[in-house]
Amino acid sequence: MTTYTATRSINGDTDAYFAYIADPENLPQYFPHMVSAHSQPDGTVETTAHVDTDRDGEEETVTSDARFDADFAAREIRWSAPGPHDYSGSLRLDDDTAHLTIDTTEDIPGIQQALDDALAAIAENLEKKG
C-alpha cells in the first residue's frame, strides 16, 4: 500500500470550509480530472472522471461508485472506491490545517501534485465565496 499526503494551512471559518468539502457535489470543483459527483440513495457517490487508466497517453471516462462519509464532529471525510487499486483517502481539518491522504496499491505518477492542487483549489474556491 502506498500513502500520499498533503497539508495546507487554512484561514477563515473552519466550519464553512468543512461544510464545503463535506458536500460530495463539490468534488469536481477541486479534484483534478473529476467531472461529476452525485449522491446516491444508498449512501454512495457516483463519480465520473477523465483519467489515463491504461497509461497510453489518452484519458478515458471512468464512472464508479464510492463510499463518502463525512464526520462533522471530527471534521473528517473518508472515502473509498472499489476496484483493482484499493483506492481510499481522507481529508481532515484541524483548526488551521487541512490534511489530505490517499492510499492506493498503485504508484500513480503526478498524484502528489494533484493532492497539492486539490487543497489549493479548495482554498481558492472558499476565498471566492468569502
Side-chain angles (χ1 to χ4, degrees), residues 52 54-60:
D52 184 6
D54 57 8
R55 297 189 182 174
D56 66 355
E58 294 185 30
E59 291 185 343
E60 295 80 34

Side-chain angles (χ1 to χ4, degrees), residues 33-72:
H33 307 286
M34 190 174 296
V35 295
S36 70
H38 302 290
S39 297
Q40 302 299 303
D42 65 358
T44 62
V45 175
E46 181 184 79
T47 61
T48 301
H50 297 299
V51 293
D52 184 6
T53 57
D54 57 8
R55 297 189 182 174
D56 66 355
E58 294 185 30
E59 291 185 343
E60 295 80 34
T61 300
V62 177
T63 299
S64 66
D65 290 326
R67 294 291 318 155
F68 185 90
D69 301 304
D71 182 339
F72 281 81

Side-chain angles (χ1 to χ4, degrees), residues 20-34:
Y20 173 76
I21 62 173
D23 182 348
E25 301 289 326
N26 291 330
L27 288 167
Q29 296 176 23
Y30 57 86
F31 270 119
H33 307 286
M34 190 174 296

Side-chain angles (χ1 to χ4, degrees), residues 38-119:
H38 302 290
S39 297
Q40 302 299 303
D42 65 358
T44 62
V45 175
E46 181 184 79
T47 61
T48 301
H50 297 299
V51 293
D52 184 6
T53 57
D54 57 8
R55 297 189 182 174
D56 66 355
E58 294 185 30
E59 291 185 343
E60 295 80 34
T61 300
V62 177
T63 299
S64 66
D65 290 326
R67 294 291 318 155
F68 185 90
D69 301 304
D71 182 339
F72 281 81
R75 287 196 204 136
E76 182 172 29
I77 297 165
R78 294 191 163 279
W79 64 87
S80 60
H85 307 297
D86 197 24
Y87 177 83
S88 63
S90 67
L91 180 53
R92 180 177 47 83
L93 300 182
D94 293 333
D95 289 334
D96 61 357
T97 308
H99 306 273
L100 179 57
T101 302
I102 301 288
D103 294 307
T104 182
T105 57
E106 181 179 1
D107 181 31
I108 303 171
I111 195 167
Q112 187 62 53
Q113 186 62 50
L115 296 182
D116 294 337
D117 291 349
L119 290 181

